[in-house]
Amino acid sequence: MTKLFATGAAYPPVRDIPRLARYKRGKTVFDGRHPEIYDRASALLKDTPHAAQLKTLFIAVNLMDVLLTKPADLMVGDPPSFDSGKPDVSAEQSALNRIVEENDVTQLIHETVIGAGIRGDSFIKTYYAPRADVSETEALGYEAPLNAPEPIIESVDARHVFPELSRGSRKRFKAINIAWVEWLPEYNGRLVTFFFGTTAAPYLNVERHIPGYIIYERYKLTENGVSASEGVPIDTYLIGDQVETGRSEDVVETGTSRLLVHHIPYKSVDNDWQGVGGVEKLESILAAINDRLVQIDYILWKHSDPAAYGPDITEDGADGAQVRFGGKYIPVTKDDQTPGYMTWNSQLDGAFKELDILIGLVFQMSETPQWIFGTTLASDKGGTGTSHTDAGAIKARFMPILSKVKRIRVHVDKAIRDALWTAMELENFANKGVEGFVPYTPIYPKITWQDGIPRDEKYDAEVAAIRTGDKPTLDVHSAIKRLDNVDDTHIDEILTRICEDEARVNGFVDSAVFNDSGGSG
């Protein structure tokens, strides 16, 4: 048996350092902190008097924040629906609704899509455990409240996930490790500890997921310097002896043949499991944009108070302070020429044109129309997007980003469905033979997604009428479910109230009695 983490190995593995460096660079750009971009700008003028001013005037334009958030908005701005194929009153659909609601799956999807755009990869984990962390309550000596276990679906920091590939495969995993460094106090047993406290030592916690089981391990670590081979610092360690985990069980049976960690790439290729993020292809263009803004800002700042020249005169007619305009003043003789300002052709028009092109390239490579944010930054002749009002025209204008969202959705759909199915399996396995639990059959759910664009119900109804020759295409039950986005139980209640209203308005007497021509004589 070969394991990725064992005594004598390195953490993180050398093969994963480029991936972790890419994650770190993407997060830095997304947060608007551009140390590598600033270095690029200052390096050009590091030996000139302008270097200090450039450092002060540095501007970081965070375009990636909005560009990566918008696909997530379109994906779950209108929440998707989750269907087991069973009625809402069934145990399967009730369990699915409960798991989705208690785990805030819609919000989880939104955050996961943004995270995948930053790094290229996101991971979610399914497990069965108490949701509340009552460790602090117990540590303080208080009685912990009732904390029943339940299915939990949550995101996992991609920096801590290390998959192991199946033999001969570039896409399939035989195991997935969640490994992170924890600094714990270490007592040296000397008297100085009493006076000066404790020192902290690094330990590696490993949660190894294999089909059917989770294996927990902990190792001592030794610091091994910092790797900067990929342009960003990555702390490295050597794995030492294995120690106790402190858990009651180090091997936990899951009851399912699937791994409990699910991978969501932003964009995938066929020869590598690692996803392609939305930042890594744009780093050089983003650096150029920030450099150009720094240059423009520096030029405008430098020449907002230009130097003046003129006669060599003083305010009081004697030797003393010279006349000052606002900036520097260069005295000349009275016979030279009249006073004036020194100006410089700074080629600002060319700088702004290049900036327009660079910003346009960012939006084009991100498959995002500029006008989707309500305005345009560059003169791309794309309009504002408000001149088309019918549904077909709007969707045509949104086609680039809708295609991008659909591509991302393919990966999200599979991972979320797998996670929900796994959650139902874990719940049934953990409660096997538990009194009061009603077992049900785990069902692979279906997710109905919205495209994020407001629907034109009138347009849809007109198309349906044309296609069916004005025949009814929707029953009352389905119409209420689509319009109000409620479950079958609420719909039944609404239909009951509708029937009661009709009975109250029309009365309980059959109207045919008023048309009876007979009488009593």
Side-chain angles (χ1 to χ4, degrees), residues 38-48 54 291:
Y38 163 69
D39 290 343
R40 179 179 183 270
S42 61
L44 298 175
L45 297 173
K46 63 181 180 180
D47 297 325
T48 69
L54 283 176
D291 289 344

Side-chain angles (χ1 to χ4, degrees), residues 77-357:
D78 293 326
S81 59
F82 303 84
D83 189 12
S84 66
K86 302 281 186 176
D88 283 353
V89 295
S90 65
E92 291 80 5
Q93 185 64 43
S94 298
L96 178 61
N97 293 341
R98 170 171 47 82
I99 295 172
V100 168
E101 183 176 355
E102 292 179 352
N103 288 282
D104 296 323
V105 172
T106 300
Q107 179 182 346
L108 176 67
I109 294 172
H110 191 273
E111 296 171 352
T112 300
V113 171
I114 296 176
I118 296 172
R119 299 178 300 265
D121 303 298
S122 281
F123 294 88
I124 58 175
K125 180 176 71 170
T126 306
Y127 59 101
Y128 192 79
R131 186 176 298 274
D133 184 357
V134 297
S135 59
E136 187 65 17
T137 304
E138 295 173 345
L140 294 175
Y142 300 111
E143 182 180 355
L146 181 63
N147 192 17
E150 59 181 295
I152 298 176
I153 305 174
E154 64 182 13
S155 59
V156 183
D157 193 336
R159 298 175 302 168
H160 300 156
V161 180
F162 301 90
E164 298 179 30
L165 290 171
S166 299
R167 185 176 179 179
S169 176
R170 294 277 185 173
K171 305 282 285 186
R172 192 159 49 92
F173 303 143
K174 67 177 181 180
I176 296 181
N177 300 274
I178 301 175
W180 71 98
V181 177
E182 183 180 18
W183 290 79
L184 298 174
E186 188 172 72
Y187 297 89
N188 55 25
R190 297 179 181 179
L191 185 61
V192 292
T193 302
F194 177 77
F195 296 100
F196 300 104
T198 62
T199 58
Y203 289 82
L204 180 66
N205 295 303
V206 180
E207 182 180 308
R208 191 165 189 254
H209 290 258
I210 61 176
Y213 297 90
I214 305 174
I215 304 171
Y216 297 90
E217 297 174 332
R218 176 179 285 180
Y219 297 88
K220 285 186 176 181
L221 290 178
T222 302
E223 294 183 80
N224 193 35
V226 177
S227 173
S229 59
E230 299 296 324
V232 293
I234 303 294
D235 295 330
T236 61
Y237 303 87
L238 291 177
I239 301 177
D241 296 333
Q242 186 172 354
V243 298
E244 296 292 332
T245 63
R247 298 176 54 90
S248 59
E249 292 181 275
D250 289 341
V251 179
V252 178
E253 187 177 2
T254 62
T256 176
S257 61
R258 286 181 301 281
L259 300 173
L260 304 188
V261 181
H262 311 279
H263 178 220
I264 302 177
Y266 198 66
K267 183 169 67 174
S268 61
V269 292
D270 62 351
N271 64 342
D272 195 357
W273 69 266
Q274 299 181 37
V276 180
V279 176
E280 54 190 287
K281 304 297 184 182
L282 297 172
E283 282 193 44
S284 60
I285 298 179
L286 294 172
I289 289 174
N290 285 276
D291 289 344
R292 186 58 59 221
L293 285 171
V294 168
Q295 182 189 40
I296 292 173
D297 188 58
Y298 177 68
I299 291 172
L300 295 175
W301 172 81
K302 188 71 175 176
H303 296 280
S304 63
D305 192 9
Y309 61 90
D312 187 8
I313 58 176
T314 58
E315 294 179 350
D316 54 5
D319 293 338
Q322 296 176 338
V323 173
R324 296 292 183 184
F325 283 61
K328 294 181 178 179
Y329 184 80
I330 303 175
V332 296
T333 63
K334 296 182 179 180
D335 296 331
D336 287 341
Q337 53 185 305
T338 58
Y341 282 103
M342 296 180 65
T343 59
W344 173 53
N345 183 6
S346 57
Q347 302 296 335
L348 279 177
D349 288 341
F352 278 110
K353 288 180 180 179
E354 182 185 7
L355 185 62
D356 282 349
I357 294 174

Side-chain angles (χ1 to χ4, degrees), residues 382-420:
T384 61
T386 59
S387 58
H388 301 76
T389 55
D390 62 275
I394 291 176
K395 286 188 176 182
R397 294 275 286 169
F398 271 78
M399 186 57 67
I401 193 169
L402 289 181
S403 299
K404 178 180 180 178
V405 171
K406 289 179 181 178
R407 182 176 64 242
I408 300 170
R409 185 185 298 157
V410 170
H411 304 293
V412 177
D413 182 83
K414 182 180 185 303
I416 295 297
R417 294 168 72 191
D418 286 346
L420 292 171

